[in-house]
């Protein structure tokens, strides 16, 4: 009888995120920075990243909402929106990112884009999935692309060499029920250490080290 001898990864990272969340973009960049340090320190360790798309705002219609009007309703005034956006821009700049809120016209339903992300994981693997997530973030926050625009999503599917017909059949499906988490971004390391929010790279690296230390103590 054959047995599966594939070793478990030294580090498994689960990330819950939504593509309309700028803190998720910042959190992803911080995670990339932490992982660069981790891999330099532990080059032989296997790292597996698992991305868990979830929709923060339910009930968004397929055509989306007016972006400025949505946030004015949500935060109370144009002044409050401007203050929040300035806070986000400052945090993004600290992570080496720029966010062009002035280019965003629609607050989209992110379910179609998340379906594409899930399909990429199934057909291409997690590395290609992570690259697609980065492209979707870039399209939304730097170019003002509509994450609910099927034509753009199918263009990306073709660029990633996915079956466009299969992708088209998936875009209108409801997202799978996500595991409840306190907010996004949400990081879990080896199913032991959890962090919520766009934590700095040092905090993420510390959680990685703690997760591996906890695991080794059980062996």
């Amino acid at each position: 009888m054959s047995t599966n001898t594939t070793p478990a990864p030294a580090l498994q990272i689960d990330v819950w995120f939504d593509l309309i969340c700028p803190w998720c973009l910042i959190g992803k960049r911080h995670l990339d920075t932490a992982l660069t340090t981790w891999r330099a320190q532990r080059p032989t360790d296997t790292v597996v990243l698992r991305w868990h798309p979830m929709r923060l705002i339910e009930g968004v219609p397929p055509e989306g909402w007016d972006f400025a009007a949505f946030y004015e309703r949500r935060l109370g005034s144009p002044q409050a929106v401007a203050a929040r956006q300035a806070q986000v821009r400052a945090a993004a700049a600290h992570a080496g990112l720029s966010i062009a809120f002035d280019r965003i016209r629609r607050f989209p339903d992110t379910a179609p884009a998340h379906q594409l992300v899930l399909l990429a994981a199934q057909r291409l693997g997690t590395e290609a999935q992570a690259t697609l997530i980065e492209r979707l973030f870039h399209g939304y926050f730097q170019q003002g692309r509509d994450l609910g625009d099927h034509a753009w999503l199918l263009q990306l599917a073709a660029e990633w060499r996915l079956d466009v017909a299969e992708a088209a059949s998936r875009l209108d499906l409801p997202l799978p029920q996500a595991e409840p988490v306190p907010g996004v971004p949400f990081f879990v390391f080896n199913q032991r250490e959890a962090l919520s929010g766009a934590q700095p790279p040092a905090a993420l690296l510390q959680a990685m080290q703690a997760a591996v230390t906890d695991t080794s103590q059980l062996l």
Side-chain angles (χ1 to χ4, degrees), residues 22-38:
W23 298 108
C24 292
L25 169 59
I26 295 166
K28 183 180 184 300
R29 184 55 54 88
H30 287 332
L31 179 62
D32 292 341
T33 300
L35 280 172
T36 297
T37 301
W38 177 269

Side-chain angles (χ1 to χ4, degrees), residues 17-54:
F17 73 103
D18 193 356
L19 290 161
I20 51 91
C21 170
W23 298 108
C24 292
L25 169 59
I26 295 166
K28 183 180 184 300
R29 184 55 54 88
H30 287 332
L31 179 62
D32 292 341
T33 300
L35 280 172
T36 297
T37 301
W38 177 269
R39 286 170 172 140
Q41 294 174 348
R42 307 173 69 114
T44 62
D45 282 2
T46 302
V47 178
V48 171
L49 268 160
R50 302 197 309 179
W51 298 92
H52 303 272
M54 62 179 293

Side-chain angles (χ1 to χ4, degrees), residues 194-213:
L195 287 176
S196 182
Q199 299 287 337
L204 295 168
L205 190 60
Q206 184 177 15
M208 294 177 198
Q209 292 164 341
V212 171
T213 300

Side-chain angles (χ1 to χ4, degrees), residues 106-123:
R106 308 301 300 168
F107 184 91
D109 174 15
T110 56
H114 283 318
Q115 286 289 3
L116 189 63
V117 166
L118 292 171
L119 181 62
Q122 293 171 2
R123 300 290 180 257

Side-chain angles (χ1 to χ4, degrees), residues 23 26 80-94 99 101:
W23 298 108
I26 295 166
V81 173
R84 179 66 59 83
Q85 290 182 351
Q87 177 193 21
V88 172
R89 283 195 182 101
H94 189 69
I99 295 182
F101 286 117

